[in-house]
Amino acid sequence: MKFIVKLFPEIMIKGGPVKKRMINMLNENLRTLLFRIDDSIEIKRFFDKIEVQTKDEFTDSVRKVLQQTPGIEQYLEVVQYETGDDLEAIAEKVAEHNLNLINGKTFVVRAKRNGEHQVTSSEIERFVGSYMYKHGESAGVDLRNPEVKVEFELIQNTLNVITKRQSGLGGFPIGMQGDVLSLMSGGFDSTVASYLTMKRGIKTHFIFFNLGGAAHEVGVKQVALYLWSQFGASHRVQFISVPFEEVVEEIFRSTHESYMGVTLKRLMIMASEKIAEVMGIDALVTGESVAQVSSQTLRNLAIIDEVSNKLILRPLATMNKPEIVKIADKIGTREFAENMPEYCGVISKNPVTNGSFSRMAKEASRFDYDVLEKAVEQSITIPVDKIIEDVNTTAPVEVVNTPDGAIVIDIRRESEASHAPLDIENVNIPFNELNRTYKKLDQSQQYLLYCEKGVMSQLHAQYLRDAGFENIRVYRPK
């Protein structure tokens, strides 16, 4: 199978040197990602496109990479023939792939040429259209609103018959726009904000502030791993976990309740800045949306921002919640967000919505910043691609390799479970239904949770443990 990769339009309008660097970066990113599938995949870079040739057995895996790699506007699946300008040969090959598609439907033929040819694009279109009309059973030709568009390209002597056109992610190749540190809670907003920076070609690292919950940290690691593996796996990034329990305790001790929420956000920004400085990162990312909650009014955001000299990006600043959820649906993070536990110990009563800079300064003066320094010093950094290994090594819930009479619950989505079924008896309860369904099961039994990589099973086992269920462990076959 051959793919022709079309570049994001904003790449093509850049100046020559910048455009060349971006195309080279996208080419390198694709080589990194595709060679993980199979190192025999052929990748060729041109000034306005990239071509990928793969064995049929790897077609689906290559499609997935092309759909999720920033910098690709669209890709074409093509079948190639050496026809030259022979109109009869061109028509026969185009008809071979499209004649059945126009049965009972109106159609139009669209041809593109590149190179020196004896015939024009219009002549090719008329000849091929006439051939298909004569040999097919269409409802006729419609140049303005056809039901089927028959497309192909003639590049020098090579005919590319387009069998499928698929939209890509758009954006810029990751690696072209520098690094950012994204504040991740694992909910809708922070995950969508991180996706948008990755889509824009920004290498996105993740920082998580643990307010008191092992399950929450496992959950955020899971969604960070998902985002990276789907949209940013061409580059290695870091996941930083900062213990914030003592910081929360100090907020309760020192801060008036109406300013607690704003204070917590300020301290998270301060800690992020310290860690970003060590990492050589110039910008932070948050999932805040103007006026969504009390701490996100314009005044309060300004009060939060004054504690940092770093650029703070807020990709969701003007989005509403339905828009954010729609993107989460599209990129596959909605179910993670809906099942993410919340451990926010600092929820202000009568929170201030139009904070005072001078009042905030007084509140801040009573805080013991040695506590914040200690939290930063105790932060743990791991590469995102090591999250599975980390979760399974430090698993808070026992992991077993054989069922030994326990009932195995496969918590993968039904489509995933049926595609690669377990070779032992099990029941399938998708993870997004597990919390609701588990309490209805026979609690005299022992249960083992299974997922492909062991992260989601560990996360949901911890959820259930936190809810008071002790008859739950994790199943990891050898």
Side-chain angles (χ1 to χ4, degrees), residues 345-385:
V346 183
I347 301 177
S348 300
K349 295 179 181 179
N350 300 316
V352 63
T353 57
N354 190 38
S356 161
F357 283 92
S358 59
R359 172 66 183 276
M360 187 69 251
K362 291 179 181 178
E363 297 294 335
S365 68
R366 293 194 292 269
F367 187 87
D368 181 0
Y369 288 94
D370 288 341
V371 177
L372 184 67
E373 292 290 344
K374 180 182 176 183
V376 172
E377 290 171 3
Q378 293 178 339
S379 64
I380 297 175
T381 300
I382 62 170
V384 168
D385 56 290

mmCIF file of all heavy atoms in Angstrom, residues 345-385:
data_model
loop_
_atom_site.group_PDB
_atom_site.id
_atom_site.type_symbol
_atom_site.label_atom_id
_atom_site.label_comp_id
_atom_site.label_asym_id
_atom_site.label_seq_id
_atom_site.Cartn_x
_atom_site.Cartn_y
_atom_site.Cartn_z
ATOM 1 N N GLY A 345 -8.646 19.017 47.963
ATOM 2 C CA GLY A 345 -8.909 19.324 49.364
ATOM 3 C C GLY A 345 -9.050 20.795 49.639
ATOM 4 O O GLY A 345 -9.202 21.204 50.791
ATOM 5 N N VAL A 346 -8.949 21.640 48.622
ATOM 6 C CA VAL A 346 -9.023 23.087 48.831
ATOM 7 C C VAL A 346 -10.162 23.640 47.986
ATOM 8 O O VAL A 346 -9.973 24.073 46.860
ATOM 9 C CB VAL A 346 -7.696 23.783 48.463
ATOM 10 C CG1 VAL A 346 -7.782 25.262 48.747
ATOM 11 C CG2 VAL A 346 -6.540 23.165 49.223
ATOM 12 N N ILE A 347 -11.354 23.551 48.505
ATOM 13 C CA ILE A 347 -12.521 24.135 47.846
ATOM 14 C C ILE A 347 -13.044 25.244 48.753
ATOM 15 O O ILE A 347 -13.536 24.984 49.848
ATOM 16 C CB ILE A 347 -13.607 23.081 47.596
ATOM 17 C CG1 ILE A 347 -13.043 21.950 46.713
ATOM 18 C CG2 ILE A 347 -14.829 23.710 46.948
ATOM 19 C CD1 ILE A 347 -14.011 20.820 46.464
ATOM 20 N N SER A 348 -12.899 26.469 48.298
ATOM 21 C CA SER A 348 -13.247 27.614 49.140
ATOM 22 C C SER A 348 -14.748 27.703 49.374
ATOM 23 O O SER A 348 -15.552 27.405 48.489
ATOM 24 C CB SER A 348 -12.770 28.909 48.478
ATOM 25 O OG SER A 348 -11.372 28.906 48.299
ATOM 26 N N LYS A 349 -15.110 28.101 50.577
ATOM 27 C CA LYS A 349 -16.485 28.494 50.848
ATOM 28 C C LYS A 349 -16.600 29.976 50.515
ATOM 29 O O LYS A 349 -15.740 30.767 50.893
ATOM 30 C CB LYS A 349 -16.823 28.255 52.321
ATOM 31 C CG LYS A 349 -16.809 26.784 52.728
ATOM 32 C CD LYS A 349 -17.141 26.632 54.203
ATOM 33 C CE LYS A 349 -17.103 25.155 54.617
ATOM 34 N NZ LYS A 349 -17.393 25.000 56.063
ATOM 35 N N ASN A 350 -17.643 30.337 49.787
ATOM 36 C CA ASN A 350 -17.799 31.718 49.328
ATOM 37 C C ASN A 350 -16.509 32.221 48.675
ATOM 38 O O ASN A 350 -15.931 33.230 49.091
ATOM 39 C CB ASN A 350 -18.179 32.628 50.504
ATOM 40 C CG ASN A 350 -19.472 32.203 51.160
ATOM 41 O OD1 ASN A 350 -20.448 31.895 50.482
ATOM 42 N ND2 ASN A 350 -19.466 32.157 52.490
ATOM 43 N N PRO A 351 -16.032 31.528 47.639
ATOM 44 C CA PRO A 351 -14.758 31.909 47.025
ATOM 45 C C PRO A 351 -14.823 33.286 46.388
ATOM 46 O O PRO A 351 -15.846 33.684 45.828
ATOM 47 C CB PRO A 351 -14.546 30.830 45.966
ATOM 48 C CG PRO A 351 -15.926 30.350 45.635
ATOM 49 C CD PRO A 351 -16.680 30.410 46.925
ATOM 50 N N VAL A 352 -13.714 33.990 46.468
ATOM 51 C CA VAL A 352 -13.632 35.316 45.879
ATOM 52 C C VAL A 352 -13.636 35.180 44.353
ATOM 53 O O VAL A 352 -12.982 34.310 43.789
ATOM 54 C CB VAL A 352 -12.368 36.054 46.363
ATOM 55 C CG1 VAL A 352 -11.102 35.335 45.918
ATOM 56 C CG2 VAL A 352 -12.350 37.495 45.857
ATOM 57 N N THR A 353 -14.411 36.011 43.668
ATOM 58 C CA THR A 353 -14.456 35.986 42.207
ATOM 59 C C THR A 353 -13.783 37.206 41.582
ATOM 60 O O THR A 353 -13.495 37.204 40.393
ATOM 61 C CB THR A 353 -15.914 35.930 41.706
ATOM 62 O OG1 THR A 353 -16.636 37.052 42.225
ATOM 63 C CG2 THR A 353 -16.582 34.644 42.158
ATOM 64 N N ASN A 354 -13.554 38.213 42.397
ATOM 65 C CA ASN A 354 -12.894 39.427 41.916
ATOM 66 C C ASN A 354 -11.841 39.826 42.952
ATOM 67 O O ASN A 354 -11.975 40.803 43.668
ATOM 68 C CB ASN A 354 -13.909 40.546 41.712
ATOM 69 C CG ASN A 354 -13.320 41.729 40.983
ATOM 70 O OD1 ASN A 354 -12.516 41.561 40.070
ATOM 71 N ND2 ASN A 354 -13.692 42.938 41.397
ATOM 72 N N GLY A 355 -10.798 38.978 43.025
ATOM 73 C CA GLY A 355 -9.806 39.115 44.078
ATOM 74 C C GLY A 355 -9.082 40.447 44.067
ATOM 75 O O GLY A 355 -9.040 41.162 43.065
ATOM 76 N N SER A 356 -8.511 40.750 45.199
ATOM 77 C CA SER A 356 -7.735 41.985 45.365
ATOM 78 C C SER A 356 -6.249 41.634 45.392
ATOM 79 O O SER A 356 -5.829 40.724 46.118
ATOM 80 C CB SER A 356 -8.130 42.676 46.674
ATOM 81 O OG SER A 356 -7.146 43.600 47.074
ATOM 82 N N PHE A 357 -5.453 42.353 44.607
ATOM 83 C CA PHE A 357 -4.011 42.111 44.594
ATOM 84 C C PHE A 357 -3.402 42.379 45.976
ATOM 85 O O PHE A 357 -2.551 41.617 46.444
ATOM 86 C CB PHE A 357 -3.336 42.980 43.534
ATOM 87 C CG PHE A 357 -3.516 42.479 42.130
ATOM 88 C CD1 PHE A 357 -4.575 42.936 41.347
ATOM 89 C CD2 PHE A 357 -2.659 41.548 41.576
ATOM 90 C CE1 PHE A 357 -4.757 42.479 40.058
ATOM 91 C CE2 PHE A 357 -2.832 41.080 40.287
ATOM 92 C CZ PHE A 357 -3.885 41.550 39.518
ATOM 93 N N SER A 358 -3.825 43.439 46.611
ATOM 94 C CA SER A 358 -3.267 43.771 47.934
ATOM 95 C C SER A 358 -3.702 42.746 48.979
ATOM 96 O O SER A 358 -2.890 42.343 49.823
ATOM 97 C CB SER A 358 -3.703 45.182 48.345
ATOM 98 O OG SER A 358 -5.123 45.284 48.402
ATOM 99 N N ARG A 359 -4.949 42.291 48.927
ATOM 100 C CA ARG A 359 -5.410 41.275 49.871
ATOM 101 C C ARG A 359 -4.677 39.951 49.626
ATOM 102 O O ARG A 359 -4.291 39.260 50.572
ATOM 103 C CB ARG A 359 -6.915 41.087 49.724
ATOM 104 C CG ARG A 359 -7.488 39.916 50.513
ATOM 105 C CD ARG A 359 -7.395 40.112 52.016
ATOM 106 N NE ARG A 359 -7.875 38.945 52.737
ATOM 107 C CZ ARG A 359 -9.166 38.710 53.015
ATOM 108 N NH1 ARG A 359 -10.118 39.570 52.618
ATOM 109 N NH2 ARG A 359 -9.516 37.629 53.691
ATOM 110 N N MET A 360 -4.459 39.637 48.367
ATOM 111 C CA MET A 360 -3.736 38.413 48.048
ATOM 112 C C MET A 360 -2.319 38.466 48.587
ATOM 113 O O MET A 360 -1.787 37.451 49.077
ATOM 114 C CB MET A 360 -3.720 38.197 46.525
ATOM 115 C CG MET A 360 -3.135 36.860 46.081
ATOM 116 S SD MET A 360 -4.152 35.415 46.492
ATOM 117 C CE MET A 360 -3.144 34.674 47.791
ATOM 118 N N ALA A 361 -1.701 39.631 48.503
ATOM 119 C CA ALA A 361 -0.341 39.788 49.030
ATOM 120 C C ALA A 361 -0.307 39.520 50.531
ATOM 121 O O ALA A 361 0.629 38.892 51.049
ATOM 122 C CB ALA A 361 0.176 41.180 48.716
ATOM 123 N N LYS A 362 -1.320 39.967 51.244
ATOM 124 C CA LYS A 362 -1.386 39.731 52.697
ATOM 125 C C LYS A 362 -1.573 38.246 52.988
ATOM 126 O O LYS A 362 -0.947 37.690 53.894
ATOM 127 C CB LYS A 362 -2.535 40.536 53.297
ATOM 128 C CG LYS A 362 -2.306 42.043 53.300
ATOM 129 C CD LYS A 362 -3.512 42.776 53.891
ATOM 130 C CE LYS A 362 -3.291 44.284 53.860
ATOM 131 N NZ LYS A 362 -4.462 45.028 54.381
ATOM 132 N N GLU A 363 -2.462 37.601 52.218
ATOM 133 C CA GLU A 363 -2.672 36.168 52.405
ATOM 134 C C GLU A 363 -1.392 35.399 52.113
ATOM 135 O O GLU A 363 -1.015 34.476 52.844
ATOM 136 C CB GLU A 363 -3.799 35.667 51.488
ATOM 137 C CG GLU A 363 -5.165 36.275 51.751
ATOM 138 C CD GLU A 363 -5.743 35.888 53.097
ATOM 139 O OE1 GLU A 363 -5.366 34.815 53.623
ATOM 140 O OE2 GLU A 363 -6.552 36.663 53.640
ATOM 141 N N ALA A 364 -0.714 35.791 51.043
ATOM 142 C CA ALA A 364 0.512 35.092 50.640
ATOM 143 C C ALA A 364 1.629 35.262 51.656
ATOM 144 O O ALA A 364 2.471 34.369 51.834
ATOM 145 C CB ALA A 364 0.957 35.592 49.267
ATOM 146 N N SER A 365 1.657 36.399 52.350
ATOM 147 C CA SER A 365 2.732 36.674 53.319
ATOM 148 C C SER A 365 2.670 35.742 54.526
ATOM 149 O O SER A 365 3.675 35.562 55.220
ATOM 150 C CB SER A 365 2.664 38.130 53.781
ATOM 151 O OG SER A 365 1.488 38.362 54.557
ATOM 152 N N ARG A 366 1.516 35.130 54.767
ATOM 153 C CA ARG A 366 1.378 34.250 55.923
ATOM 154 C C ARG A 366 1.725 32.792 55.590
ATOM 155 O O ARG A 366 1.797 31.953 56.485
ATOM 156 C CB ARG A 366 -0.063 34.316 56.461
ATOM 157 C CG ARG A 366 -0.427 35.674 57.063
ATOM 158 C CD ARG A 366 -1.715 35.583 57.877
ATOM 159 N NE ARG A 366 -2.880 35.329 57.046
ATOM 160 C CZ ARG A 366 -3.645 36.288 56.520
ATOM 161 N NH1 ARG A 366 -3.357 37.578 56.771
ATOM 162 N NH2 ARG A 366 -4.686 35.996 55.785
ATOM 163 N N PHE A 367 1.946 32.510 54.325
ATOM 164 C CA PHE A 367 2.230 31.132 53.907
ATOM 165 C C PHE A 367 3.701 30.797 54.141
ATOM 166 O O PHE A 367 4.588 31.607 53.875
ATOM 167 C CB PHE A 367 1.879 30.937 52.432
ATOM 168 C CG PHE A 367 1.983 29.519 51.949
ATOM 169 C CD1 PHE A 367 0.915 28.666 52.072
ATOM 170 C CD2 PHE A 367 3.162 29.036 51.402
ATOM 171 C CE1 PHE A 367 0.997 27.344 51.631
ATOM 172 C CE2 PHE A 367 3.265 27.722 50.964
ATOM 173 C CZ PHE A 367 2.174 26.872 51.088
ATOM 174 N N ASP A 368 3.984 29.606 54.632
ATOM 175 C CA ASP A 368 5.354 29.149 54.858
ATOM 176 C C ASP A 368 5.869 28.493 53.574
ATOM 177 O O ASP A 368 5.532 27.341 53.271
ATOM 178 C CB ASP A 368 5.380 28.147 56.013
ATOM 179 C CG ASP A 368 6.792 27.646 56.320
ATOM 180 O OD1 ASP A 368 7.738 28.089 55.635
ATOM 181 O OD2 ASP A 368 6.930 26.805 57.226
ATOM 182 N N TYR A 369 6.691 29.209 52.828
ATOM 183 C CA TYR A 369 7.128 28.725 51.521
ATOM 184 C C TYR A 369 8.179 27.625 51.604
ATOM 185 O O TYR A 369 8.509 27.004 50.582
ATOM 186 C CB TYR A 369 7.623 29.895 50.660
ATOM 187 C CG TYR A 369 6.461 30.752 50.201
ATOM 188 C CD1 TYR A 369 6.081 31.875 50.933
ATOM 189 C CD2 TYR A 369 5.720 30.415 49.086
ATOM 190 C CE1 TYR A 369 4.995 32.652 50.537
ATOM 191 C CE2 TYR A 369 4.634 31.179 48.686
ATOM 192 C CZ TYR A 369 4.277 32.288 49.412
ATOM 193 O OH TYR A 369 3.194 33.037 49.028
ATOM 194 N N ASP A 370 8.676 27.344 52.812
ATOM 195 C CA ASP A 370 9.556 26.184 52.965
ATOM 196 C C ASP A 370 8.792 24.897 52.640
ATOM 197 O O ASP A 370 9.372 23.919 52.154
ATOM 198 C CB ASP A 370 10.102 26.117 54.394
ATOM 199 C CG ASP A 370 11.142 27.192 54.670
ATOM 200 O OD1 ASP A 370 11.684 27.739 53.684
ATOM 201 O OD2 ASP A 370 11.410 27.485 55.846
ATOM 202 N N VAL A 371 7.492 24.906 52.908
ATOM 203 C CA VAL A 371 6.657 23.734 52.600
ATOM 204 C C VAL A 371 6.607 23.508 51.098
ATOM 205 O O VAL A 371 6.686 22.366 50.615
ATOM 206 C CB VAL A 371 5.233 23.927 53.173
ATOM 207 C CG1 VAL A 371 4.336 22.749 52.790
ATOM 208 C CG2 VAL A 371 5.280 24.094 54.679
ATOM 209 N N LEU A 372 6.484 24.583 50.337
ATOM 210 C CA LEU A 372 6.462 24.473 48.878
ATOM 211 C C LEU A 372 7.810 23.989 48.357
ATOM 212 O O LEU A 372 7.878 23.131 47.466
ATOM 213 C CB LEU A 372 6.094 25.818 48.252
ATOM 214 C CG LEU A 372 5.939 25.817 46.727
ATOM 215 C CD1 LEU A 372 4.740 24.977 46.318
ATOM 216 C CD2 LEU A 372 5.795 27.237 46.188
ATOM 217 N N GLU A 373 8.893 24.546 48.901
ATOM 218 C CA GLU A 373 10.229 24.127 48.477
ATOM 219 C C GLU A 373 10.429 22.633 48.730
ATOM 220 O O GLU A 373 10.994 21.915 47.891
ATOM 221 C CB GLU A 373 11.296 24.927 49.233
ATOM 222 C CG GLU A 373 11.357 26.406 48.870
ATOM 223 C CD GLU A 373 11.892 26.642 47.469
ATOM 224 O OE1 GLU A 373 12.496 25.710 46.891
ATOM 225 O OE2 GLU A 373 11.711 27.758 46.943
ATOM 226 N N LYS A 374 9.949 22.163 49.873
ATOM 227 C CA LYS A 374 10.076 20.749 50.205
ATOM 228 C C LYS A 374 9.313 19.885 49.196
ATOM 229 O O LYS A 374 9.807 18.842 48.750
ATOM 230 C CB LYS A 374 9.548 20.502 51.610
ATOM 231 C CG LYS A 374 9.631 19.050 52.065
ATOM 232 C CD LYS A 374 9.047 18.888 53.466
ATOM 233 C CE LYS A 374 9.039 17.423 53.899
ATOM 234 N NZ LYS A 374 8.420 17.239 55.228
ATOM 235 N N ALA A 375 8.115 20.326 48.823
ATOM 236 C CA ALA A 375 7.316 19.569 47.849
ATOM 237 C C ALA A 375 8.034 19.469 46.511
ATOM 238 O O ALA A 375 8.064 18.403 45.875
ATOM 239 C CB ALA A 375 5.948 20.222 47.674
ATOM 240 N N VAL A 376 8.628 20.565 46.073
ATOM 241 C CA VAL A 376 9.362 20.565 44.803
ATOM 242 C C VAL A 376 10.566 19.635 44.883
ATOM 243 O O VAL A 376 10.864 18.875 43.943
ATOM 244 C CB VAL A 376 9.791 21.998 44.425
ATOM 245 C CG1 VAL A 376 10.720 21.979 43.214
ATOM 246 C CG2 VAL A 376 8.574 22.859 44.131
ATOM 247 N N GLU A 377 11.273 19.674 45.997
ATOM 248 C CA GLU A 377 12.440 18.812 46.181
ATOM 249 C C GLU A 377 12.059 17.336 46.176
ATOM 250 O O GLU A 377 12.838 16.484 45.747
ATOM 251 C CB GLU A 377 13.147 19.159 47.494
ATOM 252 C CG GLU A 377 13.844 20.513 47.479
ATOM 253 C CD GLU A 377 14.352 20.921 48.858
ATOM 254 O OE1 GLU A 377 14.196 20.112 49.811
ATOM 255 O OE2 GLU A 377 14.906 22.024 48.988
ATOM 256 N N GLN A 378 10.850 17.033 46.647
ATOM 257 C CA GLN A 378 10.404 15.641 46.722
ATOM 258 C C GLN A 378 9.692 15.174 45.451
ATOM 259 O O GLN A 378 9.222 14.036 45.395
ATOM 260 C CB GLN A 378 9.466 15.464 47.924
ATOM 261 C CG GLN A 378 10.152 15.637 49.274
ATOM 262 C CD GLN A 378 9.185 15.513 50.442
ATOM 263 O OE1 GLN A 378 7.970 15.679 50.277
ATOM 264 N NE2 GLN A 378 9.712 15.222 51.617
ATOM 265 N N SER A 379 9.608 16.019 44.462
ATOM 266 C CA SER A 379 8.945 15.638 43.211
ATOM 267 C C SER A 379 9.709 14.495 42.547
ATOM 268 O O SER A 379 10.924 14.352 42.698
ATOM 269 C CB SER A 379 8.845 16.835 42.266
ATOM 270 O OG SER A 379 10.136 17.273 41.875
ATOM 271 N N ILE A 380 8.970 13.674 41.819
ATOM 272 C CA ILE A 380 9.551 12.517 41.129
ATOM 273 C C ILE A 380 9.305 12.668 39.635
ATOM 274 O O ILE A 380 8.179 12.934 39.201
ATOM 275 C CB ILE A 380 8.932 11.215 41.649
ATOM 276 C CG1 ILE A 380 9.249 11.036 43.141
ATOM 277 C CG2 ILE A 380 9.435 10.020 40.844
ATOM 278 C CD1 ILE A 380 8.559 9.835 43.759
ATOM 279 N N THR A 381 10.351 12.490 38.862
ATOM 280 C CA THR A 381 10.261 12.619 37.403
ATOM 281 C C THR A 381 10.563 11.284 36.745
ATOM 282 O O THR A 381 11.567 10.642 37.068
ATOM 283 C CB THR A 381 11.255 13.671 36.881
ATOM 284 O OG1 THR A 381 10.966 14.940 37.481
ATOM 285 C CG2 THR A 381 11.176 13.801 35.360
ATOM 286 N N ILE A 382 9.671 10.859 35.835
ATOM 287 C CA ILE A 382 9.922 9.647 35.055
ATOM 288 C C ILE A 382 9.573 9.929 33.598
ATOM 289 O O ILE A 382 8.713 10.761 33.313
ATOM 290 C CB ILE A 382 9.097 8.443 35.558
ATOM 291 C CG1 ILE A 382 7.591 8.723 35.426
ATOM 292 C CG2 ILE A 382 9.460 8.072 36.981
ATOM 293 C CD1 ILE A 382 6.722 7.503 35.670
ATOM 294 N N PRO A 383 10.231 9.265 32.661
ATOM 295 C CA PRO A 383 9.817 9.393 31.261
ATOM 296 C C PRO A 383 8.416 8.815 31.086
ATOM 297 O O PRO A 383 8.082 7.787 31.689
ATOM 298 C CB PRO A 383 10.858 8.562 30.501
ATOM 299 C CG PRO A 383 12.020 8.436 31.436
ATOM 300 C CD PRO A 383 11.430 8.411 32.815
ATOM 301 N N VAL A 384 7.605 9.456 30.285
ATOM 302 C CA VAL A 384 6.231 8.980 30.083
ATOM 303 C C VAL A 384 6.217 7.557 29.538
ATOM 304 O O VAL A 384 5.355 6.756 29.905
ATOM 305 C CB VAL A 384 5.464 9.941 29.152
ATOM 306 C CG1 VAL A 384 4.152 9.329 28.702
ATOM 307 C CG2 VAL A 384 5.195 11.258 29.858
ATOM 308 N N ASP A 385 7.184 7.219 28.688
ATOM 309 C CA ASP A 385 7.184 5.870 28.119
ATOM 310 C C ASP A 385 7.554 4.802 29.148
ATOM 311 O O ASP A 385 7.479 3.607 28.853
ATOM 312 C CB ASP A 385 8.135 5.794 26.921
ATOM 313 C CG ASP A 385 9.548 6.219 27.270
ATOM 314 O OD1 ASP A 385 9.775 7.422 27.522
ATOM 315 O OD2 ASP A 385 10.430 5.355 27.296
#
